[in-house]
Amino acid sequence: MDETLLDIGEVAERTGLAPSALRFYERKGLISSTGRNGLRRAYRPEVLERLGLIMCARSAGFGIAEIGSFLGAGPGDQEVREKMAVKAGELNQRIAQLIRLRDALDHAATCDHEPLTECPDFKRAVWNARTESTASSH
């Protein structure tokens, strides 16, 4: 076997993903192995970067099918580009909501209102985060 290839165990260790997840991603066409080292799948080192992108996209709420279409998109794929723009807008809304929540928690950490849950600033921040979350889910 080519010494530059990584076996499935090494890829799993480096990424923190279970070997079953790697096999799943391979079945879905998101990654590909380049051969075998005995009975174990082997991958090129570049798979680590691709898996990093996949893991980032998954944590941002992308589905497997979305990731697959994004990974295979070319510059002229307008439909995928439009989907990316929509997803970017959704992420921007989520980021704004998380920033407001962070700010509310920062306030709560130093607020001396008794009880904290009755602090007008805290209540307003929680209401805004809840209202926006409800509005963005419809």
Side-chain angles (χ1 to χ4, degrees):
M1 182 175 94
D2 185 343
E3 289 184 26
T4 61
L5 296 179
L6 307 171
D7 76 28
I8 193 168
E10 190 170 0
V11 173
E13 183 179 317
R14 288 189 186 189
T15 62
L17 293 167
S20 59
L22 298 173
R23 290 188 293 272
F24 174 76
Y25 288 153
E26 191 170 342
R27 279 193 311 276
K28 295 297 182 179
L30 302 182
I31 62 172
S32 61
S33 60
T34 58
R36 294 204 176 258
N37 180 14
L39 296 176
R40 299 173 69 120
R41 286 177 167 91
Y43 299 91
R44 286 193 168 79
E46 302 83 51
V47 77
L48 298 174
E49 291 176 21
R50 190 167 185 106
L51 286 166
L53 175 60
I54 292 167
M55 292 165 59
C56 182
R58 294 287 292 154
S59 71
F62 286 85
I64 296 296
E66 288 176 308
I67 296 169
S69 67
F70 294 167
L71 291 174
D77 195 333
Q78 194 58 34
E79 182 180 342
V80 172
R81 287 176 173 271
E82 288 170 8
K83 288 179 182 179
M84 287 179 174
V86 167
K87 195 62 145 179
E90 292 170 2
L91 287 172
N92 283 332
Q93 288 177 344
R94 181 74 175 136
I95 289 166
Q97 180 186 20
L98 289 171
I99 288 170
R100 282 191 289 286
L101 179 58
R102 181 209 53 209
D103 292 347
L105 293 174
D106 282 345
H107 172 77
T110 60
C111 181
D112 59 2
H113 199 281
E114 187 64 41
L116 174 60
T117 56
E118 293 302 316
C119 170
D121 293 332
F122 182 73
K123 287 171 79 172
R124 184 173 31 261
V126 169
W127 176 260
N128 288 339
R130 185 191 66 77
T131 303
E132 182 173 313
S133 176
T134 304
S136 66
S137 67
H138 293 307

